[in-house]
Amino acid sequence: MPPQPIIATLLQHALTTPEQACIIAGNQTLTYADLAGAVAGWAKRLQAIGLARGDRVALALPNSPAFIAAYFGAQLTGAAVVLVNPQYRQTELNHLITDAEPAIVIATDENETLLREVMPARLPLLKPEQSRFGAPPADPAAFAPPNPNEMALIAYTSGTTGRAKGAVHTHASLAANCDAIIAAWRWTSADRLLLMLPLFHVHGLGVGVHGTIRSGASLELHPRFDAEVALQRMTDPAITLFFGVPTMYGRLIEAARRSGAPAHHMRLFVSGSAPLSPQTFAEFAALFGQPILERYGMTETGMNLTNPYDGERRPGSVGMPFPGQEARIVDRETRQPLPPEQVGEIQVRGPHLFRGYWRNPSATADAFTADGWFNTGDLGFVDRDGYFHITGRGRELIISGGYNIYPREVEEVLARHPAVAECVVYGQPDPDLGEVPVAAVVVQAGAMVTAGELIEHCRAYLAAYKRPRQIRFVADLPRNALGKVQRHLLVTDSPGARDRL
Ligand code: MLC
Ligand code: AMP
């Protein structure tokens, strides 16, 4: 039996614990009954303009109660939600709208103009109304919750080819994932999560929102991360959980050094989306009196590996499989399982995995083995105690402050500038963001261009976090004998980099 959809759990809580706080945002406390009413209100609004089962709804809202209500509202109608980062610009939006073919777009005034430029003229754009959840309440009993095996979410990711692919999750895969998290981290209805992550990725949404709703707990939603605000909020005895990316933990350490570590009541701090350095782990434990629990996840899989709740949380390790899941290391060439301590590719298997890439059977076939293992593309090993360690990535990917940047996507935009003859984008180590994108550019003969102009060109077409932080003008790109560009030789602290440029 597949687990029941999270939306069904939400409606149940609204009947059994209607007055329980669900979302705290600003000075408003919204109960489970409030949320269920608003979810039904969104479902009604969406159906009124023609949304049907199996359709897609593109959701481009900032962190807000309206985001959560619209998200579950679309799912209640039997449609799937396509997550859209509101910072996306023309290139990303154009691809998403063309590829996902949504029936409706939900957005605010801020991104309406950009969206309308890439949307077919007949595609309706819906905005949150001026109410607490963006839609007037309606009766949830008027709707039948979707089937667990229906499509619930399409999250775009993994654009190694320069074009992001839509990872399709069903209600069952999302539910299996959050059930495993709840069991591993002992999440209960008494918990309150301080949520400062963006909701348009699986970290904020699939872990933060889904886990809260499934366990009947509450979350305090913030529009964005702010270290000073986080420290202040952690002194509230109601707040028990914090989930963040390593950049956030680095900034919390700095802020605590400036203004003192808070006397907090936190039960659990979790880090993921990028590697947490053993130094950050140790500094945080010294200041906050608790070891961070590091876990490993992916858009396609949700959460895969976790350090133990009880027992040793090992710095530099991402722990072991969640309950009901499997993970192993295979040789990159032979694809055979490897013994402990040997580095290979991480494969994972279980009911939490996505069902495939949207309208992309060949990418889906490449991603899975015949017996259901998913190739993560991440490299690592298992130590003799069974803890997994990530040592690198088998694919070209820059992770900056927890956001993934695919060099190819930025290179394609840069190459469209008339002054650029050739370019390559690579990750440069950064103390705050882990890595930042940097571009090496060969200018067309006779052309003149400044670094600032090229960076502005990228900003015009891509989300701001993808823009190169630096442009290095070079005479030619380092290539191997086969003509392939060798990105690693460009990283400033890599051996041989300076000799080449
Ligand atoms: C913001 N900027 C970034 C950036 N975040 N640049 C590079 N990398 C980043 N991560 C840019 C903005 O575009 C802006 O540029 C400037 O920095 C300041 O913006 P800001 O909003 O003030 O940024 P800040 O608050 O400093 O954001 C840092 C951050 C944020 C770490 C709080 O990036 C963040 O919330 N990251 C979390 C990402 C996340 O949730 N990832 C999970 C993916 S799911 P300008 O030029 O306009 O000034 C996944 C699976 C899993 O990976 O395992 O979880
Ligand atoms: P995304 O495609 O945005 O879902 O990002 C998933 C990628 O983030 C994974 O494939 C890993 O490369 C990386 N990642 C997530 N968690 C960790 C972690 N704890 N340590 C190292 N890398 C991580």
Side-chain angles (χ1 to χ4, degrees):
M1 271 286 282
Q4 71 162 353
I6 297 161
I7 172 70
T9 312
L10 164 60
L11 299 186
Q12 256 168 24
H13 290 319
L15 296 174
T16 53
T17 53
E19 296 310 317
Q20 157 85 332
C22 179
I23 303 171
I24 292 102
N27 54 12
Q28 291 190 326
T29 298
L30 305 152
T31 64
Y32 273 88
D34 292 335
L35 178 58
V39 165
W42 271 102
K44 213 169 143 184
R45 274 188 85 186
L46 291 163
Q47 280 185 341
I49 50 171
L51 191 72
R53 284 201 110 71
D55 278 351
R56 277 83 52 212
V57 175
L59 183 60
L61 294 182
N63 276 17
S64 55
F67 180 114
I68 298 175
Y71 171 75
F72 286 115
Q75 290 187 347
L76 188 57
T77 68
V81 174
V82 179
L83 299 174
V84 184
N85 178 342
Q87 296 163 50
Y88 280 168
R89 316 295 292 181
Q90 198 199 47
T91 308
E92 297 116 333
L93 292 175
N94 195 20
H95 172 60
L96 237 79
I97 300 288
T98 318
D99 194 65
E101 285 193 293
I104 296 174
V105 175
I106 303 178
T108 57
D109 290 337
E110 279 74 60
N111 44 24
E112 179 177 3
T113 314
L114 265 176
L115 274 160
R116 291 229 189 255
E117 277 173 24
V118 302
M119 282 165 55
R122 55 175 165 48
L123 182 57
L125 187 144
L126 215 58
K127 293 184 197 170
E129 291 176 0
Q130 295 302 328
S131 62
R132 296 188 303 172
F133 280 109
D139 181 7
F143 298 86
N147 178 305
N149 292 320
E150 279 181 275
M151 190 166 75
L153 175 69
I154 305 183
Y156 275 79
T157 182
S158 313
T160 37
T161 55
R163 294 279 167 275
K165 292 177 289 206
V168 176
H169 278 279
T170 60
H171 293 279
S173 63
L174 297 176
N177 204 261
C178 76
D179 288 346
I181 297 168
I182 288 167
W185 300 348
R186 315 276 164 82
W187 209 328
T188 74
S189 59
D191 279 309
R192 179 165 298 170
L193 171 67
L194 177 60
L195 186 50
M196 296 183 151
L197 287 156
L199 295 183
F200 49 76
H201 277 306
V202 299
H203 196 165
L205 182 71
V207 189
V209 174
H210 290 175
T212 297
I213 304 278
R214 191 71 155 184
S215 50
S218 57
L219 61 84
E220 183 175 295
L221 184 62
H222 288 255
R224 55 185 292 276
F225 174 76
D226 181 301
E228 305 289 344
V229 175
L231 290 191
Q232 193 274 324
R233 294 305 303 131
M234 283 172 197
T235 62
D236 182 337
I239 306 269
T240 58
L241 303 171
F242 180 80
F243 303 158
V245 298
T247 299
M248 295 179 180
Y249 285 104
R251 292 187 189 177
L252 285 172
I253 290 168
E254 273 174 34
R257 286 196 175 134
R258 279 194 305 271
S259 49
H264 65 80
H265 305 264
M266 305 292 290
R267 180 172 77 74
L268 182 63
F269 294 96
V270 181
S271 175
S273 307
L276 181 73
S277 75
Q279 187 188 343
T280 305
F281 179 94
E283 289 174 355
F284 191 87
L287 279 163
F288 290 76
Q290 254 184 54
I292 298 171
L293 183 155
E294 186 174 8
R295 58 55 175 184
Y296 158 75
M298 251 183 119
T299 301
E300 288 93 333
T301 64
M303 301 301 111
N304 296 306
L305 296 165
T306 178
N307 268 278
Y309 184 79
D310 297 313
E312 187 198 353
R313 298 181 192 163
R314 199 165 277 193
S317 156
V318 289
M320 299 155 208
F322 277 88
Q325 303 182 6
E326 296 171 277
R328 67 180 187 184
I329 306 288
V330 295
D331 185 280
R332 290 185 76 189
E333 306 303 325
T334 66
R335 314 308 290 168
Q336 292 307 307
L338 288 172
E341 309 288 342
Q342 289 199 27
V343 173
E345 182 173 348
I346 303 174
Q347 286 185 333
V348 295
R349 186 161 73 171
H352 62 305
L353 298 185
F354 75 129
R355 296 303 187 251
Y357 293 108
W358 172 249
R359 291 182 177 164
N360 198 336
S362 71
T364 306
D366 288 348
F368 289 96
T369 66
D371 51 354
W373 290 94
F374 172 68
N375 304 313
T376 63
D378 288 309
L379 306 180
F381 66 92
V382 192
D383 67 23
R384 300 213 176 270
D385 300 322
Y387 285 73
F388 282 71
H389 298 250
I390 295 175
T391 54
R393 298 171 205 132
R395 57 202 194 285
E396 299 288 357
L397 165 66
I398 300 164
I399 303 187
S400 177
Y403 281 130
N404 286 6
I405 301 168
Y406 288 91
R408 179 81 178 270
E409 188 182 35
V410 186
E411 286 162 9
E412 283 182 7
V413 166
L414 266 177
R416 297 211 300 256
H417 192 283
V420 173
E422 276 194 302
C423 64
V424 63
V425 171
Y426 56 96
Q428 187 73 43
D430 181 83
D432 177 43
L433 294 166
E435 289 178 285
V436 288
V438 168
V441 171
V442 180
V443 175
Q444 291 280 7
M448 293 281 284
V449 71
T450 64
E453 283 164 0
L454 291 180
I455 291 171
E456 279 314 303
H457 169 78
C458 291
R459 288 178 75 103
Y461 293 100
L462 295 169
Y465 66 87
K466 296 181 186 170
R467 72 183 190 278
R469 291 294 167 122
Q470 194 194 333
I471 304 276
R472 294 164 74 189
F473 291 105
V474 296
D476 56 273
L477 302 179
R479 293 182 190 279
N480 65 14
L482 299 171
K484 189 173 182 317
V485 176
Q486 301 207 282
R487 282 192 174 80
H488 66 277
L489 289 179
L490 289 156
V491 180
T492 319
D493 55 8
S494 85
R498 290 195 183 282
D499 308 340
R500 298 273 334 177
L501 299 170

